[in-house]
């Protein structure tokens, strides 16, 4: 993860640019995995162990304009190592078919001979691992997606990737022949319309499963240790490709700048982080993640009137953003407007309860979903029964309504 900061004994081994620093981090990880394996051998546990080494994502090091991960779905971001050692295995083996992390759960269930019948889109890899087969289905295509661009004002990205073809659906679709173009630089959609249409139909069918009623919600988040950057994005709110919505490729410069602002925030450079966010907003006013960070930075800098402007703009764009109502309530408290704060907290609880009841009709409290108190702004807020009583409802716990510390 950015910023790339390997331990001192590895730093500088591969150069001081991002690629070198990232390689140093990988070298450090490799070193400690080796230490772990050595320890297992010393304890005579290695031979009988099943060991899996993998990662949850790759990393873009400037390819296609992205630094980091989570935005594009090009191979450097989505391809990861997958090493599996079976108990008693001594000879190495390479599987040439496309496989994915989605295959790990059904594989583990099979290997331990569990009676549990699980529903999974993945495949059991036991035939490779136990029977030693190198190839079973070389034509397999694996699904990938990123809805982060949608949260930043563009269309989402979703597609299918196999041993040869890689298709990406978005405003301007992309098709690559990975055998001759592993860098995904030459778009072949116009040259292979039949292949593109077939893969588009298949990828869209999978994408729409997530739009079905009852589909599991997901959260899209920025990197960082604070919660200021989280954008709670319900998966079934992500519409299919809108031809009038920007292509993610056209907005990558804003995403990259935003990621730099995140890093500045993480190092305590709030003023510089805020400056960068305001520059993004000046060029692209609907870049809500930049507005969210700007509001948080202004709050921490005690510029509450300005923070209120940005927080209100966020709610104008996303009137069901529960977290933002809670944060704006915190701003109202700092400005001494307890009535407005209570109104925003009440709205947050109303929305949270509606969300809980949509998932479980018997829910009578927002605490049946996630606790509303976990969404409080980063201030210490007193809670009074009188304030709660002002908006009391049979379904709303009194402790849900924090008010100003100055209140009796």
């Amino acid at each position: 993860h950015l910023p790339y900061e390997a331990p001192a004994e590895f730093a500088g081994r591969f150069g001081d640019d991002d690629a070198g620093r990232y390689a140093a981090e990988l070298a450090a990880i490799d070193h400690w995995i080796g230490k772990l394996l050595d320890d297992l051998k010393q304890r005579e546990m290695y031979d009988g162990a099943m060991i899996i080494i993998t990662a949850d994502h790759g990393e873009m090091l400037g390819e296609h304009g992205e630094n980091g991960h989570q935005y594009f779905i090009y191979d450097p971001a989505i391809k990861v190592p997958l090493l599996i050692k079976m108990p008693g295995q001594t000879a190495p083996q390479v599987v040439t078919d496309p496989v994915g992390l989605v295959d790990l759960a059904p594989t583990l269930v099979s290997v331990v001979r569990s009676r549990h019948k699980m529903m999974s889109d993945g495949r059991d890899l036991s035939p490779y691992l136990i029977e030693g087969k190198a190839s079973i289905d070389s034509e397999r295509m694996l699904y990938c997606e990123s809805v982060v661009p949608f949260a930043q004002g563009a269309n989402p990205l979703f597609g299918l990737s196999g041993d040869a073809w890689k298709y990406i659906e978005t405003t301007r679709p992309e098709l690559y022949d990975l055998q001759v173009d592993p860098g995904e630089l030459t778009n072949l959609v116009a040259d292979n319309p039949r292949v593109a249409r077939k893969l588009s139909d298949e990828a869209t069918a999978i994408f729409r499963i997530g739009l079905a009623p009852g589909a599991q919600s997901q959260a899209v988040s920025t990197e960082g240790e604070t919660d200021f950057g989280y954008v709670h994005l319900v998966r079934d709110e992500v519409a299919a490709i809108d031809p009038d919505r920007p292509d993610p490729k056209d907005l990558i410069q804003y995403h990259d700048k935003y990621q730099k602002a995140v890093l500045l925030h993480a190092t305590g450079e709030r003023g510089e982080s805020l400056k960068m966010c305001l520059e993004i907003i000046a060029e692209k006013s609907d870049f809500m993640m930049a507005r969210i960070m700007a509001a948080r930075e202004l709050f921490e800098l005690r510029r509450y009137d300005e923070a209120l402007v940005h927080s209100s703009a966020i709610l104008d764009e996303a009137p069901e953003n529960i977290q933002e109502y809670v944060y704006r309530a915190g701003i109202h408290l700092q400005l001494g407007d307890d009535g407005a704060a209570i109104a925003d907290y009440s709205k947050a609880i109303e929305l949270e309860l509606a969300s809980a009841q949509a998932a479980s009709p018997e829910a009578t409290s927002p605490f049946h979903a996630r606790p509303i108190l976990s969404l409080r702004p980063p201030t210490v807020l007193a809670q009074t029964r009188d304030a709660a009583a002002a908006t009391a409802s049979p379904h709303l716990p009194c402790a849900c309504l924090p008010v100003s510390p100055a209140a009796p």
Side-chain angles (χ1 to χ4, degrees), residues 76-405:
I78 66 171
K79 293 192 77 171
V80 298
L82 179 56
L83 292 83
I84 302 177
K85 187 200 83 68
M86 296 296 289
Q89 181 180 354
T90 57
Q93 174 193 356
V94 176
V95 172
T96 58
D97 291 346
V99 299
L101 299 186
V102 69
D103 300 327
L104 284 179
T107 300
L108 289 169
V109 168
S110 174
V111 168
V112 301
R113 299 179 182 177
S114 170
R115 295 181 180 177
H116 176 70
K117 300 295 183 183
M118 66 176 301
M119 295 181 63
S120 171
D121 293 325
R123 298 183 182 181
D124 177 11
L125 302 180
S126 294
Y128 301 105
L129 302 172
I130 297 174
E131 301 171 25
K133 295 182 178 179
S135 178
I136 297 173
D137 182 6
S138 62
E139 301 295 317
R140 184 183 182 190
M141 302 290 284
L142 292 164
Y143 178 77
C144 51
E145 73 171 35
S146 172
V147 292
V148 169
F150 183 87
Q152 298 182 359
N155 267 315
L157 296 158
F158 57 91
L160 293 168
S161 182
D163 188 49
W165 293 113
K166 168 82 168 283
Y167 178 81
I168 300 174
E169 184 71 86
T170 191
T171 314
R172 298 192 303 277
E174 302 166 55
L175 178 69
Y176 302 102
D177 182 347
L178 298 179
Q179 296 289 336
V180 298
D181 180 25
E184 299 161 282
L185 300 175
T186 304
N187 188 351
L188 300 176
V189 165
D191 297 333
N192 296 271
R194 282 190 174 182
V195 174
R197 173 49 54 195
K198 177 178 181 294
L199 295 179
S200 173
D201 291 345
E202 293 175 3
T204 301
I206 297 172
F207 182 76
R208 285 177 175 165
I209 293 173
L211 303 178
Q216 184 176 0
S217 297
Q218 297 179 351
V220 176
S221 70
T222 66
E223 300 300 332
E225 296 181 357
T226 64
D227 67 353
F228 70 85
Y230 280 76
V231 177
H232 292 278
L233 181 66
V234 179
R235 177 62 172 76
D236 57 13
E237 288 178 358
V238 182
I241 300 301
D242 180 349
D244 296 324
R245 202 172 175 92
D247 189 294
K249 296 184 285 293
D250 297 333
L251 302 186
I252 182 59
Q253 70 271 28
Y254 298 113
H255 171 80
D256 191 56
K257 195 169 189 176
Y258 174 74
Q259 290 300 104
K260 292 176 181 176
V262 171
L263 291 176
L264 288 168
H265 171 91
T267 57
E269 299 179 63
R270 297 191 184 281
E272 289 301 311
S273 171
L274 173 62
K275 179 183 176 183
M276 200 162 282
C277 287
L278 294 178
E279 289 174 356
I280 295 172
I281 295 167
E283 295 181 32
K284 186 166 174 52
S285 60
D286 60 347
F287 196 108
M288 286 300 110
M289 292 171 77
R291 275 203 187 275
I292 289 172
M293 182 188 280
R296 305 300 181 263
E297 299 290 36
L298 288 164
F299 186 97
E300 294 298 332
L301 293 169
R302 301 187 179 186
R303 292 161 60 177
Y304 302 121
D305 287 324
E306 295 171 78
L308 181 60
V309 171
H310 288 285
S311 185
S312 296
I314 294 163
L315 287 170
D316 287 343
E317 181 71 20
E320 296 190 356
N321 187 325
I322 297 171
Q323 188 182 39
E324 197 57 39
Y325 280 106
V326 176
Y327 272 104
R328 191 173 72 172
I331 297 170
H332 285 309
L333 290 171
Q334 295 300 324
L335 292 171
D337 192 344
D338 286 3
I342 289 174
D344 275 351
Y345 278 120
S346 299
K347 182 65 175 179
I349 292 171
E350 174 190 326
L351 292 170
E352 185 72 6
L353 181 58
S355 175
Q357 289 178 331
S360 177
E362 66 272 14
T364 59
S365 158
F367 290 97
H368 283 82
R370 59 182 183 269
I372 196 71
L373 294 181
S374 70
L375 300 177
R376 286 185 298 176
T379 53
V380 178
L381 303 176
Q383 300 171 1
T384 68
R385 190 172 299 275
D386 290 342
T391 55
S393 142
H395 302 304
L396 301 181
C398 290
C400 283
L401 292 174
V403 296
S404 168

